[in-house]
Every structure is written in structure tokens, then in C-alpha cells.
Amino acid sequence: MNRKTTFIIALIVSVFMSTACSHAGSIWAKRDKNMKAPYADDVARQVGDVLTIKISEDSKLDNKAKRDMKKETDKSTDFDGQLGIDHILPSIPGFTMSAESNNELKSKADYKDERKFVDSMTVVVIDILPNSNLVVTGTRSRDIGGDKQTIEISGIVRPSDIAFDNTVKSEQVADFRIVTELGGISAPYTKPGWLGRIFDVIWPF
């Protein structure tokens, strides 16, 4: 066996061994099918995904009503006692009658209401409509020092309105519904007492 043949055999063996080693262990880890794609975002798209709603509700109501009605009536009657048939029916004593009436109504109402609610809350996608809109709902309960607050949110979110950070503004949520319930120590101070409510019923003026 000459030197050239030995070189060829050694080259073939080295190529075979390098191929076997490359199959035995690779520097690239095998991708798990449950892993998220490298370029995928965290925007909610499927049932069970979460979405953060930025609540910024500012409502102002200024309702004024004024009514001024007045009615005056003046009526008088004067009868001289003559019946219109001379020498047949005797005349009767004449009389004069007058009547006046006055009816006046004035009313004024002024109602103002201004409320502002700012918060953020994470909800869960519970359904997907045929047009790909997401039905979301969520509940948050807080109990701080005996003050209890429960917030319930529901609505329909359009996927194109969801920002890159997986948030959406409350003004962009269709059929947006928010219910806030207060309880605990501060609850009695946010509504009138039972005696005040009775007086409001029997004496509403």
C-alpha cells in the first residue's frame, strides 16, 4: 500500500466519522411544538388568552329645565232685567256678574353629575365571534383594610384595536359594561340612611 492509497483511506474515514458525530449531537436544540414562534407576540387571539383593558371613563351631565306658565281669565255678565217681550212678561231685577281667575306655575330644575373612573384590568377571552371579534369578561375583588371593592367588566374587542403591548382602551370596547360594588367600612357613608330614604319617599319635595 503506497502513500497515496493510505491518504485516500484516511480521508474517507475522517469524513465518515465527522458525519456520524454531526448526527450524534447538534448545536441547535430541537424545537418543541408547544413553544411559541420566535417572532410571535403576546396579543390575545384565542379563547383563554388574557387582555388588559385600560379604563378611562369620564362622564359629565348638565341638565337644566325651566318652565313658566300663566293663565288669566276675566269674564263679566250684565243683565238689565228685560226679558225681551214687552207687556206680556214683567221685567225682573237686573244684575251684574263678573268672575276672574288666575293660574300661574313656575318651575326650575338643575341637575349636574360628573364622574371619573380610571383603572386597568385584565380580562379573559371567553368566545370568538364569526367575524373574529373577541368576547371578554373579567372580575376583580379588592379588600384593603376592611374596604371591599368588586369590579366586573365585559364587552367585545376588535383584534385590530389591540395594541402591541396587549392592551385596549375601554372606549374601543363594544357593549362595554362595568359594574362596581362597594362594601365594608366605607359603604354606609356612600349612601343615605334608612330614615333619609323614608323621608325622600313620603316628602319628595
Side-chain angles (χ1 to χ4, degrees), residues 79-86 91-92:
F79 180 64
D80 59 0
Q82 299 297 326
L83 298 178
I85 303 177
D86 297 336
S91 62
I92 61 175

Side-chain angles (χ1 to χ4, degrees), residues 54-61 113-119 170-171 176 178:
K54 294 183 177 180
I55 307 170
S56 180
E57 298 294 321
D58 190 0
S59 62
K60 294 181 180 180
L61 178 62
D113 187 14
E114 183 174 353
R115 301 184 182 185
K116 189 173 184 179
F117 187 83
V118 178
D119 200 349
S170 60
E171 60 191 29
F176 183 67
I178 177 171

Side-chain angles (χ1 to χ4, degrees), residues 41-84:
D41 53 23
D42 292 325
V43 175
R45 291 189 178 89
Q46 304 296 330
V47 174
D49 291 348
V50 296
L51 172 68
T52 300
I53 297 180
K54 294 183 177 180
I55 307 170
S56 180
E57 298 294 321
D58 190 0
S59 62
K60 294 181 180 180
L61 178 62
D62 189 356
N63 190 2
K64 295 182 179 180
K66 185 178 181 181
R67 181 175 297 177
D68 190 354
M69 295 185 296
K70 187 176 183 180
K71 180 180 180 182
E72 294 182 357
T73 303
D74 188 357
K75 185 176 183 182
S76 63
T77 302
D78 191 2
F79 180 64
D80 59 0
Q82 299 297 326
L83 298 178

Side-chain angles (χ1 to χ4, degrees), residues 87-107:
H87 308 295
I88 297 178
L89 295 176
S91 62
I92 61 175
F95 63 89
T96 300
M97 182 178 64
S98 63
E100 294 182 1
S101 65
N102 188 3
N103 189 9
E104 186 175 358
L105 172 64
K106 292 183 178 181
S107 64

